[in-house]
Amino acid sequence: LLAYTKLEEVFNKVYSKFKGNFDNHIATSIPTFRETQVKVGSALVEMLPDNSLVYDIGGSEGGFVKAITEVSGGKIKSINLDVNESMQKAHENSPVEGSVFVNEAFYESYTDEDTGKTYNKHIPNEKADVVHESMVFQFITPERKSFIKEVKDSYLKNDGILLLEEKVVPLTDEQWLANESRKDAYKLNFYTQEEISGKAEEVLLGMRQNQTQEEDLINALKEEFTFVQEYWDAGNFKGYI
């Protein structure tokens, strides 16, 4: 376990108030994910000036950005951009003044195949100090250049920060499998072996198709940003700032 500072302990307590089923599923499936969100969120509270803006692309139930806004005493505004209406309900069921949910799509308009409803492409009204994206792009396409460029050009101030977290594909299948084994050992603390094996079968049936090569992701980031640094390593899961 990663030790928390006093601010991180406060952030974790507030963050936990907003924890939903989806948030909890990720936290129990990926080693150190929850602790990383706490450390990143509290660091933003500490470093950002008053009247800053944080975007969370595909922020689900909104716990991350609502905690940032609440712990900052409302000095940091936040936007949760997500097309999932059940996530919007969860976000708004425990409102935080200064943290809003926007029910629109990132990058391009999106039509839900099940409902037929179309969600308009989101066009930011103001540029943000920080954009956070976690475990979203990997379910859309393996191509990252256009997404990263969209964030840089449309969402971020010139001195803005992108925080990107996702599951990537390492150089070899052996490395992939070794990392998956370590992740599954962690998941045994929360799930049965049967549940984990079923999830692994889903992955083999195509969930990897939209994940990108680690090297390609780093190169795409370096093409658009002056500084790129890995800040989180959980096997096949990485975080870059």
Side-chain angles (χ1 to χ4, degrees):
L1 293 176
L2 303 175
Y4 286 159
T5 64
K6 288 185 178 180
L7 177 59
E8 289 166 353
E9 288 175 355
V10 170
F11 189 92
N12 185 43
K13 186 175 182 180
V14 173
Y15 192 8
S16 295
K17 293 195 307 182
F18 306 124
K19 192 188 308 184
N21 292 333
F22 184 72
D23 181 87
N24 189 61
H25 173 74
I26 294 179
T28 55
S29 299
I30 305 173
T32 69
F33 176 83
R34 181 75 181 185
E35 293 89 342
T36 300
Q37 300 308 296
V38 170
K39 287 184 172 290
V40 169
S42 60
L44 294 180
V45 171
E46 190 169 25
M47 70 178 276
L48 291 177
D50 292 359
N51 300 313
S52 294
L53 175 63
V54 175
Y55 258 89
D56 199 2
I57 297 173
S60 63
E61 292 131 328
F64 180 74
V65 287
K66 287 196 292 186
I68 289 172
T69 297
E70 181 167 316
V71 175
S72 73
K75 295 176 181 178
I76 301 172
K77 298 179 295 179
S78 60
I79 295 173
N80 179 4
L81 180 65
D82 203 304
V83 297
N84 190 312
E85 293 179 7
S86 64
M87 297 301 181
Q88 180 176 13
K89 183 177 179 181
H91 182 114
E92 295 175 349
N93 275 346
S94 53
V96 172
E97 186 175 355
S99 182
V100 299
F101 190 102
V102 176
N103 190 217
E104 293 181 333
F106 171 75
Y107 188 68
E108 61 186 2
S109 298
Y110 164 76
T111 300
D112 189 303
E113 293 181 358
D114 294 327
T115 66
K117 181 174 179 178
T118 297
Y119 299 87
N120 294 328
K121 172 185 175 177
H122 179 62
I123 300 175
N125 292 322
E126 63 175 303
K127 292 196 172 183
D129 299 271
V130 176
V131 172
H132 176 257
E133 179 276 328
S134 187
M135 313 299 164
V136 178
F137 293 168
Q138 68 194 54
F139 290 101
I140 304 174
T141 173
E143 200 280 315
R144 293 290 177 275
K145 289 185 180 180
S146 58
F147 286 179
I148 292 168
K149 184 171 176 56
E150 172 76 1
V151 170
K152 177 189 173 185
D153 292 347
S154 301
Y155 284 74
L156 274 179
K157 296 177 180 177
N158 287 337
D159 60 349
I161 292 171
L162 169 62
L163 297 160
L164 189 154
E165 299 157 357
E166 62 179 89
K167 192 171 190 177
V168 296
V169 180
L171 290 175
T172 67
D173 285 342
E174 289 77 12
Q175 189 176 355
W176 168 274
L177 292 171
N179 288 335
E180 287 297 285
S181 178
R182 286 191 286 270
K183 178 203 67 178
D184 290 345
Y186 167 79
K187 291 175 68 173
L188 281 172
N189 293 308
F190 310 97
Y191 303 99
T192 66
Q193 184 59 58
E194 289 74 17
E195 289 171 323
I196 294 172
S197 298
K199 181 70 172 179
E201 185 175 351
E202 289 181 36
V203 171
L204 292 174
L205 290 174
M207 288 182 67
R208 282 181 65 180
Q209 66 183 350
N210 290 321
Q211 291 164 7
T212 191
Q213 294 285 332
E214 180 180 0
E215 184 177 9
D216 292 343
L217 177 59
I218 294 171
N219 288 337
L221 287 167
K222 287 183 176 179
E223 285 182 16
E224 298 292 343
F225 288 90
T226 309
F227 304 102
V228 177
Q229 180 68 46
E230 179 185 296
Y231 66 85
W232 177 51
D233 180 358
N236 290 327
F237 297 89
K238 306 290 186 182
Y240 298 100
I241 181 169

